[in-house]
Amino acid sequence: GKISGKPAERRQLVEQLRRHGSARNVECSFRVKGGEVRVGLLSAEILEIGGRPCMLTVSNDITERKQQERALKDSEERYALAARGANDGLWDWDLATDRIYLSARWKAMGGCAEHEIGTSPDEGFRRVHAMDVERVRATLSARLEGRSADPESEDRSQGKDGSYRWGPSRGP
């Protein structure tokens, strides 16, 4: 394809080549046969071949990756808007990273400021009433293993002031 990109992309590439004799992973647009514009990561190096300066370039097409990143960002933005717009306290446990997301509203309902609660699952479990914690863990395990079709339970959670509040918990 032919680099069709924006002037700023071309300037960045030329500037890196002038300064360093090479450029690594410069994101640029390029036009392929048929006119479609794609996104690539371009690396280039100035070489001397037969006494003449030449430029060796390698480009990796990252168009699909950029589209997936945009779709993920859009999805995350919609989720954040829904979380802020809901009056519910939302939590989300990412099992792959073993981190928990607690919405600002969830923290506020317990009397906590945004920075007072971290992302460890223990942050949520240590606030569950001692009489409820085993049932909560068993319910979560049953949901994760597909042994429970009941998406809702109710338990007590301790606020910053030490008092407990009953609240529903909905899951997949």
Side-chain angles (χ1 to χ4, degrees):
K2 184 185 247 186
I3 295 180
S4 64
K6 303 164 185 129
E9 292 172 345
R10 287 192 298 271
R11 279 194 301 273
Q12 180 186 7
L13 177 64
V14 169
E15 186 60 32
Q16 283 190 29
L17 285 168
R18 281 188 184 139
R19 277 193 193 159
H20 309 290
S22 65
R24 297 283 177 259
N25 297 324
V26 176
E27 193 172 302
C28 62
S29 304
F30 62 96
R31 191 174 307 278
V32 295
K33 193 173 184 175
E36 180 187 4
V37 175
R38 308 283 293 176
V39 179
L41 277 183
L42 187 102
S43 293
E45 189 169 336
I46 302 295
L47 303 172
E48 192 171 300
I49 299 175
R52 296 181 60 195
C54 299
M55 183 169 65
L56 171 68
T57 61
V58 176
S59 179
N60 294 309
D61 189 333
I62 60 167
T63 307
E64 282 79 18
R65 186 180 87 191
K66 296 299 282 183
Q67 290 167 343
Q68 290 168 349
E69 288 171 358
R70 180 74 240 166
L72 178 60
K73 186 173 187 284
D74 289 347
S75 177
E76 288 171 344
E77 288 171 358
R78 280 193 301 276
Y79 176 78
L81 283 171
R84 283 195 301 271
N87 200 31
D88 295 341
L90 301 175
W91 66 273
D92 184 29
W93 186 0
D94 184 337
L95 298 174
T97 63
D98 200 31
R99 298 179 84 62
I100 195 165
Y101 163 78
L102 302 168
S103 71
R105 177 68 179 138
W106 191 96
K107 293 174 185 179
M109 287 166 51
C112 297
E114 184 73 27
H115 67 280
E116 291 181 300
I117 300 178
T119 59
S120 166
D122 291 337
E123 293 284 0
F125 283 117
R126 73 181 174 88
R127 288 173 171 74
V128 175
H129 194 285
M131 294 178 70
D132 296 341
V133 74
E134 286 310 313
R135 182 179 45 77
V136 168
R137 287 184 186 275
T139 300
L140 283 171
S141 291
R143 286 180 186 158
L144 291 171
E145 294 167 9
R147 294 182 285 116
S148 173
D150 185 7
E152 190 166 321
S153 61
E154 194 168 296
D155 56 74
R156 291 168 283 188
S157 214
Q158 188 176 36
K160 185 176 178 179
D161 64 3
S163 67
Y164 286 91
R165 294 163 183 84
W166 282 97
S169 178
R170 289 180 289 278

